[in-house]
Amino acid sequence: AVAAALRARGVDAARWREVGVTLVPRPNRVDAAVEWEDPAVALPGGARARVVADVVGAELVDLRRDVRLPEAVERANRERASRRLVAGSVGGLAAVGLGFLLAVRALRRAPHEDVPAGRMRLGRRGALLVGAAGALLSIATAANGVDAVLTNWPTEQPWGVYLASAALTTVLAGAMFGGVLAGGWSLLDALRRRAALPWAPPGGPAEALVAGLGLAGAPVLAGLLAERFGPEVWPAVPATVLGERIAWLAQALDPARALLVQPLGLIAVLAILLGARTTRGRLAVLALIALGLTPVALGDRSVLPILAASVGGVAVAAALVQAFGRGSVATWGMAGLVGAALSALRELRTAGSTDDRVAAGVSLLLCGVLLALAWRLIQRTTSGAEFSEFRDSFGMDPALTRADSHQ
């Protein structure tokens, strides 16, 4: 059947040497991938030209060229990839372990309960609300991408069993994401109280927005410059929302997710500031983080440029935090919304379809709505107007005094 389909396309497979057939059983047919070697094509270094035909039932659906490298080269590539994976895992585990030790040391410090900002607690209710919001976001995102889940159904598994396992996986993933968010915000609140860091900056929403622009805008600008002046690489596959159940809502949850996740970056900042109590110690921690990140980005490139880029990236991040990220927790929430808005603007400019443009526009609109709500909430918090309502809605310590609202 394959030979007949090739002849119908004007291709003579008689000059090729068949080297393999992969059969994929389906409920009502058998698919196959037939591979030949083309001796007429000479390649250097012992590589061999291959031709692969994809057959669905009795119909040829694709014919493509491929190159098979010598076994020694493939083995060397696998060994090199394995070494990179081990080095990256060791570096990542070392960074996580260092962060854990710094956080434990930071938590041993007594909270600044004598400072109004230190007495404002998130509370159990606030952490549960954050976790529930994160779980709903995760489940809603998975529900909108259900078409991809249905497409990946392995036909050897009963349909009902597959649907039940997919639904259970979605719920468990949402619960885990919500639990991580709840725990992260509780840890953030504990570290924030030890540093006497306010939820909102004393300067009001304008200060938070300007600092958020600094935190989020600089990385976006660096990414644009890297794309413009960096070395040429293979172009990335363009992203699209056409595979989502409701395409124009595909990016609607991005602003809310950024608002919940972005402030958790402050945990690392506070752990370093409180756990490493001298300037020399903090510089040593940043250097170790840069060394730990180097194997992750190494790939097939040389060590020195990647090490320099890692050190430079950590230094720039530290400078941004020093300049914009130490004023309040709200600054990081604003940074998340600003970053989501800038991403939506970029996707709006590069969208390849109407649905992509509409989805980016919806995301940008919701970023504006959440920024306006955050502005109003910070304004009310810093001015003290109706502060008790704000405090109760987030489950904060009901023993707050009126003076607390000034922070």
Side-chain angles (χ1 to χ4, degrees), residues 265-294:
L266 188 55
I267 293 176
V269 176
L270 293 176
I272 294 174
L273 291 177
L274 297 174
R277 302 176 186 179
T278 64
T279 302
R280 184 177 299 177
R282 292 166 187 170
L283 291 176
V285 168
L286 293 177
L288 290 175
I289 292 174
L291 289 175
L293 293 177
T294 300

Side-chain angles (χ1 to χ4, degrees), residues 80-95 287-311:
R80 185 164 55 253
S82 177
R83 288 194 298 269
R84 289 198 302 267
L85 179 62
V86 171
S89 300
V90 171
L93 288 176
L288 290 175
I289 292 174
L291 289 175
L293 293 177
T294 300
V296 177
L298 187 58
D300 292 326
R301 292 162 289 185
S302 57
V303 175
L304 290 180
I306 297 301
L307 179 59
S310 180
V311 172

Side-chain angles (χ1 to χ4, degrees), residues 51-378:
V51 181
V52 182
D54 293 325
V55 183
V56 174
E59 182 179 353
L60 179 67
V61 296
D62 189 25
L63 185 67
R64 63 186 188 276
R65 287 277 183 178
D66 196 5
V67 174
R68 176 61 58 88
L69 298 176
E71 178 63 26
V73 175
E74 292 188 348
R75 185 165 50 250
N77 289 337
R78 289 193 298 268
E79 292 176 355
R80 185 164 55 253
S82 177
R83 288 194 298 269
R84 289 198 302 267
L85 179 62
V86 171
S89 300
V90 171
L93 288 176
V96 171
L98 178 61
F100 177 78
L101 292 176
L102 290 173
V104 169
R105 188 179 183 192
L107 289 174
R108 290 179 178 177
R109 286 184 144 187
H112 287 270
E113 300 292 3
D114 56 327
V115 180
R119 292 201 297 271
M120 292 175 58
R121 301 180 184 179
L122 178 68
R124 182 178 301 176
R125 180 184 172 188
L128 289 177
L129 286 175
V130 171
L136 290 176
L137 285 175
S138 176
I139 293 174
T141 302
N144 201 32
V146 68
D147 288 347
V149 176
L150 301 182
T151 303
N152 293 328
W153 170 43
T155 55
E156 67 274 8
Q157 187 178 21
W159 176 245
V161 174
Y162 178 70
L163 281 182
S165 62
L168 181 60
T169 300
T170 299
V171 172
L172 290 178
M176 290 179 61
F177 182 65
V180 169
L181 278 182
W185 275 81
S186 296
L187 177 58
L188 172 61
D189 183 48
L191 294 174
R192 179 200 65 80
R193 288 170 53 229
R194 282 156 175 79
L197 186 70
W199 289 103
E207 179 182 337
L209 181 58
V210 170
L213 282 169
L215 276 177
V220 172
L221 178 61
L224 292 176
L225 291 176
E227 290 182 2
R228 176 66 180 85
F229 300 105
E232 294 185 1
V233 296
W234 285 100
V237 177
T240 182
V241 299
L242 297 179
E244 303 293 324
R245 171 70 64 168
I246 306 177
W248 60 273
L249 285 178
Q251 299 174 9
L253 300 179
D254 291 350
R257 186 180 296 106
L259 182 61
L260 290 175
V261 174
Q262 184 70 25
L264 297 184
L266 188 55
I267 293 176
V269 176
L270 293 176
I272 294 174
L273 291 177
L274 297 174
R277 302 176 186 179
T278 64
T279 302
R280 184 177 299 177
R282 292 166 187 170
L283 291 176
V285 168
L286 293 177
L288 290 175
I289 292 174
L291 289 175
L293 293 177
T294 300
V296 177
L298 187 58
D300 292 326
R301 292 162 289 185
S302 57
V303 175
L304 290 180
I306 297 301
L307 179 59
S310 180
V311 172
V314 171
V316 170
L320 287 175
V321 170
Q322 178 69 26
F324 302 109
R326 298 178 61 180
S328 68
V329 177
T331 293
W332 291 73
M334 284 287 198
L337 292 176
V338 170
L342 293 175
S343 297
L345 279 173
R346 182 179 180 183
E347 291 169 4
L348 191 63
R349 182 178 62 86
T350 60
S353 68
T354 301
D355 285 334
D356 290 319
R357 284 188 288 273
V358 172
V362 170
S363 178
L364 185 61
L365 176 63
L366 291 178
C367 284
V369 172
L370 288 177
L371 280 170
L373 291 175
W375 181 285
R376 178 58 179 160
L377 184 59
I378 295 172

